[in-house]
Amino acid sequence: MVIVEEKCMQSVPPPPYVPNASTLPPPPFPGEYHEATRPSDLPSHLLLKIVYMTFPQTPGIDEGKIERQRKTLCWLSTQLRLVNHSFYVACEHVLRSTYLPAYNSMIRPPYSSDPFPFSSSASTSSGDTLQRETKVLDLFIALKVHEDVMVDDSCFHLEREDSFKDLFDLMQPRSRLEDLVRHYGIREGVVHTNPSGVNVSSSSSSIFRLNNSGTGSASTSKRTSDPIAVPFSALSISFSPRRVGLVLTTSGRKRTIVDVARTRDEKLEVTAKKLVRELKVWLSDGSRSTGII
């Protein structure tokens, strides 16, 4: 018979008790303490992969796979994308790419559409974009995900025919026309998107202001043949099937500075070019009326 003593089995004695050694981390975690990594700290491609993996790939007990995935899309729209900016970007990528075909199918001729930002510089850190039609696409997604889930949950829910009427009769062509005015206006040198409000494309410094009579005027510190560029953030469109106006907002006051007629079958690109031509004329007249040019 062999008697084994437990004391002999302990090759390494326990560390001595030292009351004043509070600067060292307790075992078994030697070294510096590192904060736990959050999901939002992951690279964007990994976070996007995680979002895609939230979609069910099998049917449930009382619902199919498509119905479960539609509920996941609704969850992305109403909850997950509100967590922080990283999740917002990942969810918007999934939602916009999923619902873009349905959005394009509802564009009414002769209108055109381009809801995605026109360049990587069009987006800001807050998620805003210069492309105003993108906001209309997001409104469409918010309504569409809710309607899809309601239809799946109850056979008594009937999708109203006028649910998307305001979006595609007014908001979509108006926002698309504003984007086209920005595009053609920058090309003609009458619109700028510089946040500082300075027209960097002009050879002379320029100031755009609203005079006492309520009409806009432009003045320059040097003589120049180029029109004064108006900030795109101050421009908006008043849209109707027969007439379109260009509205300028300065100091909280709105004024229609350009108004043109259009036909129902006229393309938005044609209307935008007419607005830009009239804006160029209006800016030139406003500059000459000051007596400086």
Side-chain angles (χ1 to χ4, degrees):
M1 180 179 294
V2 179
I3 300 176
V4 180
E5 295 184 2
E6 295 182 358
K7 293 182 179 181
C8 298
M9 298 292 294
Q10 298 178 358
S11 58
V12 180
Y17 175 75
V18 181
N20 297 329
S22 59
T23 57
L24 298 176
F29 304 106
E32 298 181 357
Y33 173 75
H34 296 279
E35 185 179 357
T37 303
R38 297 173 297 179
S40 57
D41 297 331
L42 296 174
S44 57
H45 67 283
L46 292 181
L47 189 60
L48 184 61
K49 180 67 175 178
I50 293 174
V51 173
Y52 272 113
M53 292 179 66
T54 61
F55 286 88
Q57 300 301 321
T58 58
I61 298 177
D62 55 350
E63 56 186 0
K65 182 181 72 173
I66 301 300
E67 288 75 10
R68 297 184 66 195
Q69 291 181 348
R70 285 174 179 168
K71 288 186 177 181
T72 303
L73 288 169
C74 184
W75 173 68
L76 295 183
S77 176
T78 59
Q79 299 185 41
L80 184 60
R81 71 170 180 169
L82 306 180
V83 172
N84 54 34
H85 178 69
S86 299
F87 277 107
Y88 177 86
V89 173
C91 292
E92 284 299 309
H93 175 85
V94 176
L95 291 168
R96 290 171 180 173
S97 59
T98 301
Y99 285 99
L100 182 61
Y103 177 84
N104 287 332
S105 66
M106 301 190 71
I107 302 297
R108 303 178 181 180
Y111 302 150
S112 60
S113 175
D114 184 18
F116 283 117
F118 67 100
S119 68
S120 59
S121 61
S123 298
T124 63
S125 59
S126 61
D128 295 332
T129 174
L130 289 176
Q131 202 82 355
R132 295 186 180 179
E133 193 184 354
T134 307
K135 298 180 181 179
V136 180
L137 173 61
D138 292 340
L139 290 174
F140 168 79
I141 293 173
L143 179 59
K144 184 64 175 173
V145 294
H146 177 266
E147 289 292 327
D148 288 345
V149 171
M150 293 297 293
V151 171
D152 292 337
D153 286 346
S154 175
C155 61
F156 296 103
H157 178 77
L158 300 178
E159 186 174 349
R160 295 177 299 174
E161 296 181 358
D162 59 344
S163 298
F164 305 96
K165 182 176 178 61
D166 288 341
L167 284 177
F168 294 96
D169 280 356
L170 175 63
M171 299 182 67
Q172 189 277 327
R174 182 179 61 189
S175 60
R176 172 60 175 161
L177 188 57
E178 290 173 346
D179 292 334
L180 290 171
V181 168
R182 184 201 66 233
H183 173 72
Y184 295 126
I186 292 176
R187 191 172 65 180
E188 294 295 329
V190 295
V191 175
H192 74 82
T193 58
N194 188 18
S196 62
V198 178
N199 183 13
V200 296
S201 62
S202 177
S203 59
S204 62
S205 61
S206 59
I207 301 175
F208 190 86
R209 65 176 183 269
L210 198 71
N211 57 28
N212 294 331
S213 62
T215 59
S217 64
S219 61
T220 56
S221 59
K222 294 182 181 179
R223 181 180 180 88
T224 175
S225 59
D226 296 332
I228 307 305
V230 180
F232 177 64
S233 59
L235 294 176
S236 59
I237 294 291
S238 60
F239 185 86
S240 67
R242 296 297 184 182
R243 301 200 67 85
V244 175
L246 194 60
V247 180
L248 176 68
T249 303
T250 53
S251 302
R253 302 171 62 183
K254 292 185 178 181
R255 181 178 178 83
T256 301
I257 57 176
V258 173
D259 184 76
V260 297
R262 67 179 300 269
T263 59
R264 288 184 177 272
D265 58 347
E266 184 176 272
K267 294 184 177 180
L268 296 177
E269 288 79 2
V270 177
T271 307
K273 290 179 180 179
K274 291 194 298 185
L275 287 172
V276 171
R277 284 198 301 266
E278 293 297 324
L279 176 61
K280 191 173 184 178
V281 173
W282 181 83
L283 288 172
S284 300
D285 293 342
S287 297
R288 286 194 296 268
S289 65
T290 59
I292 299 177
I293 297 181

